Amino acid sequence: MVLGKNFRGEGRKLSNYCSTVSVAALVAFCLVGVWIVMSSIVPIQNSAIQVSETINDVKNVASDSKQFEDKSGDIPEESTRGDSQIHKSQSDSYLENQDDQKRIDIDNTAEENQEVVKVNSDEKNYLEEDPGNTVEQDDQMRHVKPSSDEEKETDSTLNSESAETKTLNGKIHDELRGSMETLDEKGSDKSTNDNKLGTEKSPGEVTQQDEMVGETEEEKIKKIQHSETSQTTTGESNREIHENNPASKETSIPSETLIETSTESGTWSTQATESQHEKESQKSSIAIESRKYDWKLCNTTTGSEYIPCLDNWQAIRKLNSIRHYEHRERHCPDEPITCLVSLPEGYRSPIKWPKSRDMIWYNNAPHTKLVEVKGHQNWVKVTGEYLTFPGGGTQFKHGALHYIEFIQKSLPKIAWGKRTRVILDVGCGVASFGGYLFEKDVLTMSFAPKDVHEAQVQFALERGIPATLGVMGTIRLPYPGSVFDLVHCARCRVPWHIEGGKLLLELNRVLRPGGHFVWSATPVYQNDPEDVEIWKAMGEITKSMCWDLVVIAKDKLNGVAAAIYRKPTDNECYNKRIKNEPPMCNESDDPNTAWNVSLQACMHKVSVDASERGSIWPERWPVRLEKPPYWIDSQAGVYGRAASVEFTADYKHWKNVFVHSYLNGVGIDWSSVRNVMDMRAVYGGFAAALRTLKLNVWVMNVVPIDSPDTLPIIYERGLFGIYHDWCESFSTYPRSYDLLHADSIFSTLKQRCNIVAVIAEVDRILRPEGYLIIRDNVETIDEIESMARSLHWDIRLTYSKNGEGLLCIQKTFWRPTTVISAIT
């Protein structure tokens, strides 16, 4: 009995054991099946490549594709139509949504250098086979092959220059030394995973990827396109621009390299080194993929006109004195601002130039104090929903143009737009003087403080006239020495005569030897005791500075007079002075060092060596734009080659980029662009190329303080610019610029700045519907694109190749609804 009982128990155990084995086998089989299924699913990190291959499989047009070239118009109209018809016949369902906003990601195969292009909404990509386009022709040297005889005739000059152009970004040292390494050789060292689209993958996209299992390939494509399109918020005005833009018909993509190698120091110093103003690095340890951006509106007393480094009342209240206008100088917050500035109620797209010179929307800068105080001087008036600008000023009530002609007649040697090209207007008001000098081909750096003259610089920028916020206080102006052809002050309210002419000596620093100072203030022509005393003091100071009083002229129409002085071109007068007052600066005092450097009550000697800058007046405009300055012939350039060689190559490079890409290939409506900033200007080739194309724009060339100091070269060629530290806020009002150009700067800034704060600053100074063009490494492009999407900006185009990328973004009117705690 015991034995039988035990036997039955073992039988039950055996049965349970068999059941367990069966279940385990079934589970294992299921797991193997799931593994097999999952292995066929496209990994999310490689989805761009797989989608591209799927598109080619569905459409069967892989053999018709060609590499994107840095040239617009390479695709004949007939070929474009034919390609479009093939697409329609092979995939009607795919083209049903062509008129809706879509984004097409095209990823050529590894044999085609793994180029990646993404074009926003209704922009169509047409690919055409071109057997004659060799790898060498699409190399980083940007050799461009015309597609027709007509193109050869119309672009012969540009194409010949293109053949000689050498890239000054990316593999710059190799290229400038003649390296012709092919793209295939470079691409062979890269893995497939190096070819990134630069898009941010949200959790929603991951879920969508899982849901694609079991769907057809075409349905997968449509879902991917729809999900990417849904991430881009585009206003009605943006859609109109997109539909009317030639770039929506054809898109040409640059093929040149985009990244600069490490800078060789050579003879080039930096503002950061000289001024010892580098901030501590603020490196982010958060991975791009896991970063979340929680944008909020700034809560400040200045609201929609917040300027972080000028509205820092917490720092201003701590100042020991404001005698020297310290409260009008820059006082940046200890922590960079990452909030967004609100829009004025009723803000709308600015009026286009040249109409904007005469009127702006009142709601865009709703201030009337100047209307009340300066209305009788024809500064500004309110006319319905507009603010109008009759062109007057304190010293030229009857119009700036008449006043400009008056100065020319008083001293014909000034020769507006020929000998005199770049000038500084101190205390510019609403900048009508600089606005009307455009007619004379003169570029004016207008500046004024943010003071009781409410919104004067804001008005200027809204009008489309160059202007920046600044003050003659305790710090040097952010410009190199000896760069302005003429300095102008029409009753600019600057006490030039006090403290031994300390402020006048700062003008002497930035004025070119042989340049002129035009002063049309009341001491020149009025006889009340205060004016007489100031005139006497000015006479003594200017004489001790060896300035020659060339002429005092009377403007009968406006009832004013102007005194015109000239700075000496040699040191003879300095050496003959009985008293060394004001003293000569020490030899160690560099006149070009200007970032956060205190004013010095001294004068620098004039350069007389024929090989030094300032010894010879620049070429007449416009020759000086294209001709390398004489004094850089013996210098090494930024990239290690001769500076004059790099100067020419840089100019040709940017001309080719504009003609073959920027003008028609990145989705920019250039008719809406007036105020432009190049965030890292180097030789100023970007601005020079825009000038050559005769677009109605002006460019603020920024030389970062940690970059080689090339700003004197920019001024020498008849352009202008400013020093700046991009880890701080720029001295301008919100919504100042229509386009920002950032060439290989964000990747550098990430090493020492809070990049989120930099993008917040970009958002602050860029107008709604304005554009941002970025050329940088793919990792940086990915990060900026991710932030742009979180800001609800419109991604107009992304492009990547060999680890380098191009990104064009358009800002929208979107603002967050959450407000941060108050900023004091």
Side-chain angles (χ1 to χ4, degrees):
M1 292 293 294
V2 175
L3 182 61
K5 182 178 180 180
N6 289 340
F7 179 80
R8 285 194 298 270
E10 291 297 330
R12 284 194 299 270
K13 290 180 180 179
L14 181 60
S15 177
N16 292 337
Y17 176 79
C18 294
S19 299
T20 301
V21 171
S22 301
V23 171
L26 180 60
V27 170
F29 180 81
C30 293
L31 290 174
V32 171
V34 171
W35 179 80
I36 294 173
V37 173
M38 292 299 293
S39 65
S40 64
I41 297 177
V42 180
I44 187 68
Q45 66 269 23
N46 293 327
S47 60
I49 299 173
Q50 296 298 329
V51 168
S52 176
E53 293 172 353
T54 303
I55 293 174
N56 290 336
D57 290 339
V58 172
K59 298 184 179 182
N60 296 319
V61 292
S63 61
D64 292 332
S65 65
K66 69 175 246 181
Q67 295 177 345
F68 281 100
E69 296 180 327
D70 194 9
K71 175 159 182 169
S72 59
D74 272 346
I75 303 172
E77 184 179 355
E78 297 79 4
S79 300
T80 302
R81 281 200 301 269
D83 189 49
S84 178
Q85 292 169 358
I86 292 173
H87 285 209
K88 182 171 182 64
S89 63
Q90 294 181 339
S91 183
D92 290 337
S93 61
Y94 172 74
L95 289 177
E96 286 175 356
N97 295 323
Q98 281 292 317
D99 292 330
D100 297 330
Q101 280 193 334
K102 291 191 306 186
R103 195 150 174 242
I104 302 175
D105 293 355
I106 298 178
D107 187 4
N108 290 343
T109 62
E111 290 74 17
E112 295 174 321
N113 299 317
Q114 297 182 344
E115 294 180 348
V116 180
V117 181
K118 297 184 290 185
V119 183
N120 181 37
S121 67
D122 54 352
E123 293 184 348
K124 300 178 182 179
N125 295 323
Y126 295 104
L127 302 178
E128 175 188 36
E129 184 176 3
D130 184 6
N133 184 31
T134 65
V135 171
E136 288 75 17
Q137 287 172 316
D138 192 30
D139 203 348
Q140 295 164 339
M141 302 291 287
R142 293 173 308 284
H143 292 195
V144 181
K145 177 182 177 180
S147 60
S148 66
D149 294 337
E150 182 179 354
E151 281 184 322
K152 291 179 181 178
E153 293 175 359
T154 57
D155 293 335
S156 59
T157 302
L158 285 170
N159 286 343
S160 63
E161 291 177 347
S162 174
E164 300 173 3
T165 302
K166 294 179 173 56
T167 303
L168 294 182
N169 303 315
K171 314 297 183 184
I172 184 66
H173 297 290
D174 292 337
E175 291 177 11
L176 287 176
R177 289 175 174 82
S179 173
M180 293 298 293
E181 181 184 13
T182 65
L183 297 179
D184 284 340
E185 291 171 343
K186 294 180 180 180
S188 63
D189 294 333
K190 295 183 175 290
S191 65
T192 305
N193 289 336
D194 286 337
N195 193 355
K196 301 177 182 177
L197 281 174
T199 57
E200 181 186 35
K201 295 295 183 293
S202 65
E205 287 178 312
V206 177
T207 302
Q208 183 189 45
Q209 185 75 20
D210 295 336
E211 293 173 350
M212 287 182 184
V213 179
E215 296 177 349
T216 65
E217 294 298 320
E218 189 167 347
E219 289 171 343
K220 293 180 184 179
I221 297 167
K222 289 185 177 180
K223 281 204 171 186
I224 291 174
Q225 292 168 344
H226 177 73
S227 67
E228 289 181 344
T229 304
S230 65
Q231 294 178 36
T232 303
T233 302
T234 308
E236 180 179 350
S237 59
N238 293 343
R239 287 196 298 270
E240 292 175 356
I241 292 174
H242 213 68
E243 292 168 359
N244 296 329
N245 197 329
S248 64
K249 305 300 180 183
E250 287 187 20
T251 304
S252 62
I253 309 300
S255 61
E256 69 278 356
T257 50
L258 307 172
I259 307 302
E260 178 193 351
T261 58
S262 59
T263 303
E264 295 187 7
S265 57
T267 59
W268 301 89
S269 61
T270 67
Q271 288 295 314
T273 301
E274 296 295 338
S275 305
Q276 297 182 348
H277 192 66
E278 287 230 28
K279 293 183 175 293
E280 294 183 358
S281 299
Q282 300 178 15
K283 299 181 181 180
S284 174
S285 61
I286 305 174
I288 298 173
E289 292 77 7
S290 62
R291 187 191 297 274
K292 294 182 179 179
Y293 307 101
D294 183 19
W295 301 106
K296 296 180 181 179
L297 286 178
C298 299
N299 184 7
T300 66
T301 55
T302 49
S304 62
E305 297 173 0
Y306 177 50
I307 306 171
C309 291
L310 297 180
D311 294 331
N312 186 4
W313 296 107
Q314 185 176 4
I316 292 173
R317 293 188 191 104
K318 296 179 181 179
L319 293 174
N320 296 324
S321 171
I322 60 172
R323 178 185 176 188
H324 296 98
Y325 305 94
E326 292 92 338
H327 58 305
R328 305 297 184 192
E329 294 178 330
R330 291 170 57 85
H331 302 282
C332 297
D334 294 332
E335 294 295 329
I337 301 302
T338 57
C339 57
L340 305 182
V341 177
S342 60
L343 296 177
E345 185 177 353
Y347 180 86
R348 57 203 298 184
S349 299
I351 297 171
K352 295 180 180 180
W353 180 270
K355 188 177 180 181
S356 64
R357 188 182 67 178
D358 302 323
M359 62 175 59
I360 64 174
W361 299 113
Y362 171 78
N363 286 337
N364 287 11
H367 298 287
T368 58
K369 189 172 182 178
L370 279 179
V371 176
E372 299 164 4
V373 176
K374 299 291 185 179
H376 66 288
Q377 296 176 355
N378 286 331
W379 278 35
V380 57
K381 300 180 182 296
V382 176
T383 308
E385 59 182 347
Y386 301 100
L387 288 168
T388 58
F389 300 86
T394 303
Q395 301 298 94
F396 41 92
K397 302 175 185 178
H398 297 283
L401 201 55
H402 166 80
Y403 177 74
I404 291 167
E405 294 290 352
F406 152 69
I407 294 174
Q408 174 73 71
K409 291 178 180 178
S410 302
L411 186 62
K413 188 178 180 180
I414 286 177
W416 295 125
K418 296 180 178 63
R419 183 181 189 272
T420 301
R421 162 63 181 174
V422 186
I423 75 171
L424 179 70
D425 187 16
V426 183
C428 63
V430 295
S432 290
F433 180 68
Y436 281 88
L437 273 170
F438 274 111
E439 296 184 9
K440 302 294 185 180
D441 230 356
V442 174
L443 197 57
T444 307
M445 177 70 78
S446 301
F447 84 94
K450 186 180 182 182
D451 59 9
V452 293
H453 283 173
E454 189 180 56
Q456 52 188 336
V457 169
Q458 186 180 24
F459 286 155
L461 290 163
E462 187 71 18
R463 296 172 69 187
I465 301 173
T468 187
L469 288 162
V471 64
M472 301 291 296
T474 66
I475 304 296
R476 284 180 176 178
L477 296 174
Y479 316 114
S482 302
V483 290
F484 290 104
D485 303 334
L486 180 146
V487 178
H488 173 256
C489 165
R491 204 170 179 178
C492 55
R493 301 175 66 238
V494 176
W496 303 116
H497 61 291
I498 67 172
E499 297 184 347
K502 190 172 185 178
L503 300 180
L504 199 63
L505 290 170
E506 174 62 3
L507 290 192
N508 185 74
R509 181 185 71 86
V510 300
L511 183 61
R512 190 182 300 280
H516 295 93
F517 174 56
V518 179
W519 187 43
S520 61
T522 54
V524 179
Y525 57 92
Q526 290 188 358
N527 294 319
D528 60 80
E530 183 180 7
D531 286 328
V532 171
E533 182 180 351
I534 293 174
W535 175 253
K536 181 180 179 181
M538 280 289 286
E540 293 175 355
I541 294 169
T542 53
K543 184 178 180 180
S544 66
M545 293 170 58
C546 295
W547 281 14
D548 181 20
L549 179 57
V550 180
V551 64
I552 301 176
K554 180 80 172 180
D555 180 3
K556 296 180 180 179
L557 178 62
N558 288 302
V560 301
I564 303 178
Y565 301 86
R566 182 174 181 266
K567 180 179 176 179
T569 57
D570 55 41
N571 299 304
E572 183 179 357
C573 175
Y574 298 150
N575 297 331
K576 290 181 177 180
R577 291 185 305 166
I578 298 176
K579 292 183 178 181
N580 189 31
E581 295 180 0
M584 305 305 293
C585 298
N586 294 329
E587 294 292 335
S588 60
D589 191 316
D590 185 355
N592 297 321
T593 304
W595 185 254
N596 277 9
V597 175
S598 298
L599 290 181
Q600 302 296 315
C602 62
M603 296 184 299
H604 296 88
K605 288 186 176 181
V606 174
S607 299
V608 293
D609 190 323
S611 63
E612 295 180 359
R613 181 171 69 88
S615 60
I616 302 175
W617 194 266
E619 298 281 351
R620 290 206 161 200
W621 180 262
V623 175
R624 64 194 283 188
L625 179 70
E626 302 184 17
K627 187 175 181 179
Y630 65 91
W631 47 270
I632 69 172
D633 287 342
S634 59
Q635 296 188 25
V638 174
Y639 306 105
R641 294 275 286 181
S644 57
V645 173
E646 292 185 2
F647 177 98
T648 303
D650 179 74
Y651 182 38
K652 292 180 179 179
H653 163 68
W654 288 114
K655 282 198 297 183
N656 287 325
V657 169
F658 268 101
V659 171
H660 304 317
S661 178
Y662 282 5
L663 284 182
N664 298 308
V666 294
I668 293 177
D669 176 17
W670 286 97
S671 67
S672 66
V673 175
R674 171 63 181 174
N675 303 353
V676 178
M677 175 185 285
D678 192 359
M679 296 176 66
R680 179 181 166 276
V682 192
Y683 292 107
F686 175 85
L690 273 172
R691 169 67 193 184
T692 303
L693 296 171
K694 298 183 178 180
L695 297 177
N696 285 324
V697 302
W698 59 270
V699 181
M700 178 68 77
N701 294 284
V702 178
V703 172
I705 63 167
D706 57 345
S707 294
D709 186 7
T710 54
L711 195 51
I713 295 178
I714 292 172
Y715 276 92
E716 193 80 2
R717 68 190 307 182
L719 306 172
F720 66 9
I722 195 168
Y723 295 119
H724 183 58
D725 181 359
W726 281 114
C727 291
E728 299 179 358
S729 176
F730 195 79
S731 293
T732 192
Y733 282 90
R735 303 169 298 279
S736 293
Y737 289 89
D738 301 305
L739 186 144
L740 302 182
H741 183 254
D743 179 28
S744 304
I745 184 172
F746 286 113
S747 56
T748 302
L749 289 174
K750 287 196 303 180
Q751 305 303 315
R752 63 186 192 91
C753 303
N754 181 348
I755 195 65
V756 176
V758 177
I759 294 300
E761 175 64 7
V762 167
D763 176 89
R764 189 185 72 85
I765 67 178
L766 188 62
R767 290 172 173 172
E769 296 185 330
Y771 301 93
L772 170 63
I773 302 176
I774 304 173
R775 306 166 72 89
D776 223 307
N777 60 55
V778 170
E779 179 185 358
T780 302
I781 292 291
D782 288 353
E783 186 172 3
I784 304 302
E785 183 178 358
S786 177
M787 280 187 269
R789 291 185 183 281
S790 69
L791 287 164
H792 297 260
W793 288 12
D794 180 12
I795 309 300
R796 306 295 284 180
L797 179 138
T798 60
Y799 167 82
S800 64
K801 178 179 180 180
N802 295 338
E804 300 153 1
L806 170 67
L807 176 65
C808 182
I809 321 171
Q810 185 175 27
K811 179 181 174 181
T812 65
F813 282 83
W814 177 84
R815 295 288 87 179
T817 56
T818 307
V819 181
I820 66 169
S821 301
I823 300 175
T824 57

